[in-house]
Amino acid sequence: MDSVIIPDPLKKGDKVAIVSPAGITRPQNVYAAIPVLQSFGWKPYTSPHAFGRHATYSGTPDERYSDLEAALLDPSVKAILCSRGGYGAVHLLDRLDRLPLRDNAKWIIGFSDISALHALMHRHRIASVHGPMARHIASHAGDDEDSRALFGILQGELPTYSVKPHPLNRCGRSSGILLGGNMAVLTALIGTPYDILKPDTILFVEDVSEPVYKIERMLYQLKLSGVLGRLKGLIVGDFTEYSPDVDGRSMEEMISELVADYDYPVAYGVPFGHASSIMPFVESIPAILTVGADEVMIEQ
């Protein structure tokens, strides 16, 4: 396989395209992020359909595709920041897959439904950033730990994180390619060319509004296929807006029971997902996961 391309660090004067590949976004969430990006000397711009509306999407599939195609093929664009998630990025994968993405590799940034675009980039062996989108940057004026970590990545600094321990953590140390994102999005891609749920990776997962039993069903698919037992490590982020199982189990307790037979390190309560924090990770490159009694270290 081709080696993974890590896009070049951004310099002053580089363009950052702000796109809406899926759901409808609020213009104020983008406009408030633009000055933050400009403060680094970058030149952000909104794609033609960033504020569009077509049913629940920001545009028709053709419109959303055209925005991404233009940004991906423009050599002056060095990063593509998604305005938000929502459902819809999957509509674009087949056409985007035909583009010469490695000829002019650039950062794609986002989470939630944008996990589909990260899967596309992994297929083409290009690193991407699972991290804050325009809405998050705007709401914090770019002055929070997650936004600062994102800006560091875009300037060429790979992250190292220290996280407080969780009672359910399983201690250990491992290394592997870091991949993951939204559980529902990624499991829907199993069996397709964009399936990233493979053995021998450090997997990170999060989701929103999914009952415990549905996440368990997704994980059982990984268990029965042999993927879950052959991970190098598991990082469990925020699972939000759900009710505990009928027997009172939390999401973390369910996951802990499901991976109890394995011996790789598992870290719970890592702050990324649909909560207030979205710790950015660089997908498709190696990481070291160290789960200790006093702290969790994630190094890239």
Side-chain angles (χ1 to χ4, degrees):
M1 295 182 69
D2 294 327
S3 59
V4 173
I5 296 174
I6 298 178
D8 292 335
L10 270 64
K11 306 182 298 295
K12 289 184 177 180
D14 285 342
K15 290 167 66 176
V16 177
I18 302 177
V19 303
S20 300
I24 297 165
T25 195
R26 295 179 178 178
Q28 60 266 34
N29 290 332
V30 171
Y31 291 137
I34 286 176
V36 178
L37 301 174
Q38 291 173 329
S39 71
F40 291 90
W42 306 330
K43 295 182 177 179
Y45 74 92
T46 57
S47 58
H49 305 98
F51 305 133
R53 181 181 293 268
H54 176 77
T56 62
Y57 310 111
S58 66
T60 66
D62 287 345
E63 290 170 340
R64 288 178 283 132
Y65 170 77
S66 67
D67 285 356
L68 272 170
E69 179 192 44
L72 287 164
L73 297 182
D74 185 344
S76 66
V77 172
K78 301 301 182 183
I80 298 173
L81 175 66
C82 297
S83 66
R84 59 155 295 181
Y87 171 71
V90 69
H91 301 154
L92 316 177
L93 291 184
D94 282 347
R95 281 190 285 177
L96 292 172
D97 188 46
R98 302 185 194 113
L99 298 178
L101 300 177
R102 290 177 61 88
D103 291 352
N104 185 21
K106 57 201 66 186
W107 292 110
I108 286 185
I109 307 149
F111 73 103
S112 190
D113 191 66
I114 308 307
S115 296
L117 298 183
H118 295 311
L120 169 75
M121 299 307 279
H122 179 69
R123 170 169 160 79
H124 287 263
R125 310 287 287 166
I126 301 170
S128 57
V129 182
H130 181 278
M133 295 185 279
R135 178 180 178 181
H136 179 98
I137 294 170
S139 63
H140 296 274
D143 194 26
D144 64 295
E145 289 186 10
D146 301 324
S147 296
R148 289 193 294 269
L150 168 63
F151 301 144
I153 291 169
L154 296 181
Q155 294 176 98
E157 303 168 8
L158 292 179
T160 295
Y161 300 117
S162 174
V163 181
K164 293 179 180 179
H166 188 281
L168 293 175
N169 280 359
R170 182 162 62 213
C171 294
R173 178 182 173 89
S174 67
S175 61
I177 302 300
L178 187 65
L179 288 165
N182 182 267
M183 276 294 300
V185 172
L186 295 179
T187 54
L189 295 174
I190 290 174
T192 75
Y194 315 101
D195 181 1
I196 68 168
L197 296 172
K198 304 292 186 182
D200 303 321
T201 62
I202 295 177
L203 177 66
F204 64 92
V205 292
E206 62 83 28
D207 217 316
V208 58
S209 301
E210 293 286 357
V212 173
Y213 82 90
K214 287 191 176 182
I215 297 297
E216 182 181 51
R217 184 167 60 196
M218 297 174 199
L219 290 172
Y220 252 101
Q221 186 173 15
L222 300 185
K223 181 183 180 75
L224 295 173
S225 67
V227 171
L228 194 62
R230 292 173 56 196
L231 295 177
K232 295 295 187 181
L234 179 63
I235 303 172
V236 181
D238 295 318
F239 284 80
T240 54
E241 299 180 22
Y242 78 94
S243 298
D245 210 354
V246 67
D247 59 6
R249 289 185 306 170
S250 69
M251 193 74 74
E252 291 76 14
E253 289 168 335
M254 177 275 292
I255 296 172
S256 180
E257 292 174 10
L258 204 55
V259 300
D261 292 338
Y262 311 131
D263 60 3
Y264 48 75
V266 183
Y268 298 88
V270 180
F272 67 92
H274 290 73
S276 59
S277 296
I278 177 63
M279 176 184 285
F281 295 130
V282 182
E283 299 217 39
S284 300
I285 70 168
I288 300 172
L289 172 63
T290 306
V291 181
D294 298 321
E295 71 171 346
V296 173
M297 294 289 294
I298 304 168
E299 306 167 74
Q300 292 201 264

